[in-house]
Amino acid sequence: MEYAEILHRCFRCGYCKLPSDYTDLNCPTYLKFRFETYSPGGRMWLLRAWLNDDIKTSPRLAEIFFSCANCGNCIEHCVFPEFKADLLNAFVAGKEELVNEGAVPPSVRDYLQAMSLHGNPYKLPEAERGSWAEGLGLEPYTDQEYLYFVGCAGAFDERGQKMARAVAGLLKDWGVSFGILGAEERCDGNEVKSLGEVGLFDKLARENIQVLQNAGVEKIITLSPHGYHAIKNEYPGLGGDFQVYHYSQIMGSLMEKEKEFKNDKPLRVTFHDPCYLGRHNWEYQAPRNVLNALPGVTFTEMDRTKVNALCCGGGGGNFYTDVIGSGVDSSARIRVREAAEVEAEVLAVACPKCAKMLEDAIKAEDLDEKLRVMDLAEIVQTRLG
Amino acid sequence: MEEIYKELQKIVGAEYVSNHAEERFMYSRDMGTMLPSMPDLVVMPDSPEEVQKVVQLANREGIPIVPMGGGLVLSGLTRPLKGGIVLDMKRMNRILEVNEVSRYVLVEAGTSQGMLQAYLKRHHPRLKHSCPDAPPIATIGGNVLIHGSGHLSHAAGFHSDMCNGLEVVLPTGEIARIGSCSTSPYWFSRAPLPDLAGLFMGWDGTTGVVTKLAMKLYPDRPFNDARVFITADPDLVPDVINRLAGAQVGEDLNSAINYRPGRTNVFPIVIITYGAETKEELTWKRNLIRESVRKYIDERTGGFVPFPPDRRKAFLQAPNTMLTQFADARRGGGFEYVGSIMPIEIFGDAYRAGVQISNRFDIVNGMGARVIGLAHCMMFFFGYPFNRADESDVERAREALEASNEAALKLGGIPWKAEAPAQQQIIKHMDPNTFELMNRIRSVLDPKGIMNPGNWEVN
């Protein structure tokens, strides 16, 4: 297995479980399950034991591996500089081995089957991928400056569609030259890869690259940080070199020119950093620039932000597979409690998966009266009047 | 064991009990060199009452129980040597009370050092606790009960000295309170009552399960600095330490030496950290420290090392991450560690013993000492990194560990947080009446012998 040679070097010291000030547990799966086995160090030791045949393949082992949210907290806080960068790579390699054995949790199996058969986790016809844009008057991509790539959640998830439309509407209002692929878009494959189905990722990515190259795309705006990460960091290795931007990065520069904010009603907002924009790609400032530029908005940070942000638990495929599950110790529920603690009215997000995870958590925590989730674009739209 | 499993599920909830191979594997070992020993079950209680019910069940059925905090002791004390239940206490991590005026904090035993540090910084910024150099996930309970030490130990002694009282589930299931909290709503002290805390400290989980502790807090000064003294002669270090400690301004006082076989001219350094309310006070303390060792500066047998601000920051870091990184010194993921509690005056002999053992086993040695309580004693450590993937290397570290224990005992020290084989070595040196008293106390507290059996027993 790739990365097998670093497994024994993990001391299991546990820095990886924590944020940099050690406030509380910051690894979503360890936070939920609490057994040492579900910590990053536990995974390192278990993977080595499994490869050495000291433990056998089991549903428990699969749950331990597939509940990892790939949030990157472990990489950020591991104190071993020589191998920390490869922690998640080792876990993905482990998942790849389990996929090859067919030893995956049922929900992961169902997800991967849906991806193989339908091309999306919602088991909907790929021909409907562009339906999210109906009524917006968006143009198919021809030779505009940007391609707007929405991904599976933006295309099919009800909450994701709202976000996709909000971002598209704003880009259009601001005169950005962009088009969409509609039904020609394919899943970006980020979750497929993080779940260890590397062959399927390869296929999806190559299909997207082919479509994008045939269309002559050079610049891409993504809705999802997950798609942003895959296209920016994984596609070049497969021959797909594009200039990739997350929509928050485009908004930041556009807002510098915006003079038309009409609504300055006071609004207390906090921001949840998406792992694939933040820890995976070091973009922390662009979303904050957006929020700080809005009249009437008071921006308040939660205790855990930026490199220390607590993941919503939706990464690593968990948005679709739900291996972490719910409960009072689920990171999404803890996260919305943190947002409520800073007395925010709005928990701002920049990822369709975070949006859904945190909205569900607000309901579970019975915080609907105090707190609501809004995407950056939705907030900006309300400020425009 | 299936029936026990079901009963435990009723006590703590199904999701917090495991008999899976994965948990049994993980909780059978720690990061040191001791061989694994499998538990039958791993249980994570959430309250003293849950601990009580688990202990009552184990007592009724005669099942061994091993309490575990962070599991970072390195000497395998949380390995269930005779199987049974490992009680992972880290769900019990609530900070229950901070008394700013009498300067103490009451925590659940599974509270991590890091969590308490962060909590105090945020809510009580003028107070701090003594942080060990273990990783921050190490628990307050585990560390205190093994007589740990940390960044305020020079000023205030072992962490067990800083403990104002305990709540403990006895091996027969009763919950007892030790210290002022047994009589008063305040957790201010163990005095003036008979000090029963000694029934639970240093026993390595063989006398009960501690569920709450009150720990002394100390002023967190706004200005802090570190100074590093170096000398070529390890035999001068005891007097250097004695003099630096005599100035009574240091919070933490450590010596460090890294020895590689074949290397010569290894100079021990002595690091002293101190804090102050003002810059002027800091300067005044700096001068006091300098004056305390002026003899050596004037004789040119020692002196302070100038170092840049970023290095100074590293010396003030609590916990110090560099110590954890020692585990990758051989790209190997492990180190074994003998911390021995010793008188200061045998520093030079302990250093030479470490060099000899390193050369004998051809192994890198991290040596040093944390000075306890104004140099009343020291925790001298011998640390050997090993490659976890190379069994012969692990074995070599294990042998070096055993040799170090022997050397420490021969010098007049006592191995700290001793692993089961080291306990045997200690018992051989111990006054037999003392060991007999230990056994009598234990048989009264734990008539069925369920608490971490295999430890502090003669084979």
Side-chain angles (χ1 to χ4, degrees):
Chain A
M1 190 198 86
E2 210 178 355
Y3 305 104
E5 74 283 358
I6 65 165
L7 300 176
H8 72 276
R9 292 173 67 184
C10 169
F11 184 56
R12 221 157 52 73
C13 57
Y15 277 94
C16 54
K17 298 171 180 172
L18 301 167
S20 53
D21 71 351
Y22 319 139
T23 317
D24 206 345
L25 303 176
N26 220 37
C27 164
T29 44
Y30 182 70
L31 185 58
K32 170 72 194 297
F33 294 99
R34 298 297 177 96
F35 286 107
E36 289 296 317
T37 40
Y38 287 81
S39 68
R43 285 193 190 95
M44 292 290 274
W45 281 36
L46 281 180
L47 193 49
R48 179 164 180 257
W50 184 60
L51 293 173
N52 289 345
D53 213 24
D54 291 333
I55 57 168
K56 307 293 179 196
T57 308
S58 74
R60 181 74 160 191
L61 185 72
E63 182 183 78
I64 289 166
F65 272 89
F66 286 94
S67 60
C68 171
N70 273 45
C71 73
N73 184 72
C74 50
I75 291 178
E76 186 65 45
H77 299 294
C78 174
V79 295
F80 294 98
E82 287 190 22
F83 63 85
K84 63 187 282 180
D86 283 324
L87 292 177
L88 285 181
N89 290 334
F91 302 155
V92 170
K95 286 188 265 192
E96 188 179 353
E97 296 287 316
L98 288 164
V99 167
N100 290 340
E101 277 200 16
V104 300
S107 62
V108 175
R109 177 202 61 210
D110 294 346
Y111 169 81
L112 293 175
Q113 271 181 0
M115 289 303 303
S116 297
L117 295 173
H118 304 279
N120 66 77
Y122 301 89
K123 301 180 186 175
L124 291 168
E126 287 289 272
E128 292 179 15
R129 248 187 203 277
S131 333
W132 66 272
E134 277 172 15
L136 289 179
L138 303 182
E139 294 174 356
Y141 184 82
T142 50
D143 58 353
Q144 296 94 327
E145 185 178 5
Y146 297 100
L147 168 81
Y148 177 41
F149 190 102
V150 297
C152 289
F156 295 116
D157 181 86
E158 195 182 344
R159 183 64 183 90
Q161 284 177 338
K162 281 186 194 165
M163 265 185 75
R165 291 171 68 85
V167 171
L170 210 52
L171 293 176
K172 198 176 169 198
D173 289 349
W174 281 346
V176 176
S177 165
F178 75 100
I180 58 172
L181 288 176
E184 298 302 308
E185 189 182 295
R186 288 289 166 270
C187 174
D188 54 64
N190 192 60
E191 313 311 276
V192 171
K193 174 143 195 201
S194 67
L195 286 167
E197 185 36 296
V198 178
L200 182 56
F201 169 75
D202 196 77
K203 177 176 172 286
L204 290 166
R206 286 182 194 281
E207 283 174 7
N208 267 326
I209 290 167
Q210 193 66 57
V211 170
L212 295 166
Q213 286 177 339
N214 289 348
V217 172
E218 290 180 2
K219 296 182 182 177
I220 298 171
I221 299 170
T222 72
L223 174 71
S224 168
H226 297 243
Y228 170 72
H229 176 75
I231 300 171
K232 181 168 181 258
N233 300 313
E234 305 285 358
Y235 284 20
L238 299 168
D241 284 303
F242 309 100
Q243 291 177 52
V244 194
Y245 305 90
H246 181 253
Y247 80 89
S248 61
Q249 297 169 320
I250 296 293
M251 281 175 72
S253 58
L254 292 172
M255 286 183 61
E256 288 169 13
K257 302 171 198 162
E258 178 60 60
K259 308 284 183 203
E260 298 300 314
F261 293 116
K262 292 170 185 161
N263 178 2
D264 61 356
K265 195 176 154 192
L267 185 70
R268 283 180 65 85
V269 179
T270 191
F271 178 66
H272 169 75
D273 288 280
C275 302
Y276 277 102
L277 191 61
R279 275 190 291 257
H280 285 278
N281 285 291
W282 309 289
E283 178 58 271
Y284 298 108
Q285 203 48 49
R288 287 172 172 77
N289 288 345
V290 171
L291 293 169
N292 282 320
L294 294 173
V297 165
T298 305
F299 176 59
T300 311
E301 293 280 13
M302 285 183 275
D303 281 350
R304 288 184 264 192
T305 64
K306 302 181 182 176
V307 294
N308 294 315
L310 175 63
C311 167
C312 72
N318 275 282
F319 179 73
Y320 299 111
T321 60
D322 198 27
V323 182
I324 293 182
S326 55
V328 290
D329 284 335
S330 75
S331 54
R333 287 183 61 174
I334 292 170
R335 195 59 167 156
V336 300
R337 294 202 289 267
E338 284 185 358
E341 274 170 25
V342 296
E343 298 180 343
E345 297 164 75
V346 167
L347 174 51
V349 295
C351 167
K353 296 180 174 83
C354 296
K356 185 77 187 293
M357 295 290 292
L358 296 171
E359 270 189 357
D360 289 349
I362 284 174
K363 286 178 197 149
E365 286 287 311
D366 205 16
L367 287 168
D368 317 54
E369 305 263 315
K370 294 181 184 165
L371 183 66
R372 65 188 192 278
V373 170
M374 291 179 81
D375 143 57
L376 292 178
E378 290 166 348
I379 298 171
V380 172
Q381 281 184 327
T382 63
R383 300 277 109 181
L384 287 169
Chain B
M1 214 33 102
E2 193 58 31
E3 279 306 309
I4 303 296
Y5 179 57
K6 285 179 187 162
E7 288 201 49
L8 289 167
Q9 285 184 319
K10 282 183 202 158
I11 296 169
V12 300
E15 65 270 44
Y16 298 119
V17 185
S18 176
N19 59 3
H20 290 287
E22 290 74 13
E23 279 75 39
R24 294 180 67 213
F25 171 88
M26 195 62 63
Y27 287 82
S28 70
R29 63 201 71 212
D30 70 6
M31 305 77 177
T33 58
M34 291 294 105
L35 296 174
S37 186
M38 285 274 183
D40 297 295
L41 296 152
V42 182
V43 179
M44 290 190 288
D46 194 36
S47 68
E49 291 73 28
E50 287 185 3
V51 174
Q52 182 179 38
K53 286 176 186 168
V54 174
V55 171
Q56 283 167 342
L57 173 65
N59 188 52
R60 188 186 80 207
E61 302 291 335
I63 299 168
I65 286 199
V66 180
M68 171 187 159
L72 290 154
V73 77
L74 301 185
S75 48
L77 293 177
T78 57
R79 295 171 303 147
L81 298 177
K82 298 189 178 176
I85 297 167
V86 170
L87 269 187
D88 182 336
M89 298 292 287
K90 291 194 289 298
R91 280 180 73 215
M92 293 178 61
N93 65 354
R94 297 166 190 91
I95 294 166
L96 302 170
E97 181 196 346
V98 172
N99 184 322
E100 285 212 351
V101 179
S102 291
R103 291 199 187 110
Y104 67 78
V105 61
L106 175 63
V107 297
E108 289 186 326
T111 302
S112 71
Q113 303 285 346
M115 186 182 172
L116 177 58
Q117 185 186 67
Y119 183 87
L120 292 173
K121 272 186 185 166
R122 183 161 306 172
H123 300 290
H124 306 277
R126 295 305 313 270
L127 292 172
K128 64 181 177 183
H129 81 297
S130 180
C131 184
D133 276 320
I137 204 76
T139 63
I140 306 285
N143 181 266
V144 166
L145 297 173
I146 57 167
H147 293 301
S149 55
H151 282 237
L152 288 165
S153 280
H154 168 49
F158 290 108
H159 290 160
S160 43
D161 297 326
M162 301 177 195
C163 178
N164 282 356
L166 307 166
E167 178 188 82
V168 59
V169 177
L170 301 175
T172 41
E174 301 88 350
I175 297 179
R177 287 195 167 184
I178 309 298
S180 64
C181 63
S182 67
T183 313
S184 154
Y186 298 98
W187 294 65
F188 56 89
S189 165
R190 279 147 54 187
L193 303 168
D195 191 4
L196 299 176
L199 294 176
F200 308 99
M201 292 172 167
W203 289 80
D204 303 329
T206 59
T207 52
V209 183
V210 171
T211 48
K212 291 192 186 97
L213 308 89
M215 296 300 299
K216 289 184 168 71
L217 300 174
Y218 300 85
D220 191 7
R221 315 276 190 206
F223 299 92
N224 292 277
D225 204 354
R227 302 220 68 195
V228 176
F229 190 87
I230 191 162
T231 174
D233 183 356
D235 285 322
L236 294 185
V237 172
D239 190 54
V240 169
I241 287 175
N242 182 273
R243 285 165 183 266
L244 288 170
Q248 283 194 265
V249 297
E251 293 187 344
D252 194 15
L253 185 51
N254 287 278
S255 183
I257 315 150
N258 256 337
Y259 179 77
R260 289 175 189 279
R263 207 170 85 170
T264 53
N265 296 329
V266 181
F267 292 174
I269 57 171
V270 181
I271 309 151
I272 184 164
T273 66
Y274 54 105
E277 291 296 323
T278 62
K279 280 188 181 175
E280 292 73 22
E281 185 188 348
L282 200 70
T283 304
W284 180 72
K285 286 185 171 177
R286 179 190 171 97
N287 290 337
L288 275 180
I289 289 166
R290 185 177 181 81
E291 286 310 306
S292 71
V293 287
R294 173 159 292 288
K295 170 182 183 301
Y296 295 106
I297 297 168
D298 289 346
E299 287 174 357
R300 297 181 182 275
T301 48
F304 288 101
V305 186
F307 53 92
D310 59 325
R311 288 289 305 281
R312 180 175 290 124
K313 200 173 165 186
F315 286 125
L316 292 170
Q317 185 189 30
N320 193 324
T321 54
M322 290 297 290
L323 296 177
T324 300
Q325 288 169 358
F326 187 52
D328 204 36
R330 293 175 75 87
R331 296 191 152 210
F335 66 89
E336 190 55 279
Y337 176 100
V338 179
S340 287
I341 312 303
M342 294 178 169
I344 300 287
E345 59 263 38
I346 60 175
F347 183 98
D349 291 337
Y351 162 71
R352 280 183 286 276
V355 168
Q356 192 187 33
I357 291 164
S358 294
N359 286 333
R360 186 172 141 205
F361 292 97
D362 192 26
I363 195 166
V364 175
N365 194 340
M367 278 184 283
R370 169 162 267 143
V371 175
I372 310 293
L374 301 178
H376 295 125
C377 66
M378 64 180 174
M379 188 277 285
F380 192 97
F381 59 88
F382 309 84
Y384 307 101
F386 60 83
N387 181 352
R388 194 179 299 286
D390 178 352
E391 191 45 51
S392 64
D393 203 41
V394 180
E395 176 61 26
R396 187 162 49 171
R398 198 180 293 131
E399 287 174 9
L401 169 76
E402 191 177 339
S404 306
N405 283 326
E406 273 302 336
L409 284 161
K410 198 172 162 189
L411 288 167
I414 303 169
W416 169 54
K417 60 187 173 69
E419 62 279 6
Q423 292 164 16
Q424 301 297 319
Q425 290 170 287
I426 294 171
I427 290 167
K428 274 186 205 160
H429 285 75
M430 188 183 269
D431 173 359
N433 286 336
T434 304
F435 187 57
E436 173 55 27
L437 177 62
M438 283 174 65
N439 284 329
R440 261 194 276 165
I441 288 168
R442 205 157 44 153
S443 67
V444 169
L445 285 172
D446 183 14
K448 289 203 177 174
I450 61 168
M451 292 308 306
N452 206 359
N455 284 285
W456 295 108
E457 292 174 5
V458 174
N459 284 337

